[in-house]
Amino acid sequence: QVHLVESGGGLAQTGGSLRLSCTASEPTFYIYEMGWFRQAPGKDREFVASVSPNGGQTNYVDSVKGRFTISRNRAEKTVYLQMDSLNSEDTAVYSCAARAWRGTNYYTELSDGFAYWGQGTQVTVSS
C-alpha cells in the first residue's frame, strides 16, 4: 500500500510554468515506478509521464515531450512534474500513481499496472 498526496496545482498563464509534487508516506516509495496522469473535463484519463525507481528511465506522452520533466527524490519520497510552456490543452486534474517496477518494457501500455493513486490536483491554464 502506498499513500500519495499531490500538491502544486493552480492557475498559470499560457506559456507559464508550474511544478507539481507527489509525496509518499511509506519508506518503500523508492521501489515503485511513479507516473503522472491527467483528466480534462469530458475526456478520459491520460498518461502523462513516468519515471523508473532509480530515475534513470522516463517516458512521456508525445504532447508534453520537451515541455514537461518528471523527476524523483528518494530522500524526500517525492516525485515531481515540472511543466513549462503551458497551454490551454494542459488544463486538467493531475494525479500521481505508483506501480511495481518490472523492468523495461514489461507493461504493454505505459498506463498499465498503476495500482496506487493520489487524490489529484487541479491545473488551469488561462490566456
Side-chain angles (χ1 to χ4, degrees):
Q1 187 75 20
V2 181
H3 183 60
L4 304 170
V5 178
E6 301 97 335
S7 61
L11 180 65
Q13 291 189 329
T14 298
S17 299
L18 284 173
R19 188 176 81 155
L20 305 183
S21 300
C22 171
T23 302
S25 55
E26 291 74 18
T28 55
F29 162 79
Y30 68 94
I31 70 173
Y32 291 94
E33 181 176 8
M34 300 299 297
W36 283 98
F37 291 75
R38 65 186 180 185
Q39 187 166 22
K43 295 187 177 181
D44 293 334
R45 186 169 61 196
E46 174 187 41
F47 169 86
V48 176
S50 64
V51 59
S52 60
N54 67 1
Q57 296 183 38
T58 57
N59 294 290
Y60 297 92
V61 67
D62 286 346
S63 60
V64 308
K65 286 180 180 178
R67 300 189 299 121
F68 290 11
T69 304
I70 189 170
S71 61
R72 65 191 297 164
N73 184 305
R74 175 173 176 170
E76 296 178 356
K77 295 183 291 182
T78 300
V79 60
Y80 302 98
L81 185 67
Q82 177 67 41
M83 304 186 295
D84 299 318
S85 301
L86 287 163
N87 59 59
S88 59
E89 297 294 310
D90 298 318
T91 295
V93 175
Y94 285 72
S95 300
C96 69
R99 68 181 177 187
W101 172 250
R102 304 294 189 192
T104 303
N105 297 324
Y106 174 85
Y107 295 96
T108 302
E109 299 291 339
L110 293 175
S111 58
D112 288 346
F114 284 92
Y116 308 106
W117 294 83
Q119 82 289 350
T121 185
Q122 177 70 47
V123 170
T124 303
V125 183
S126 68
S127 56

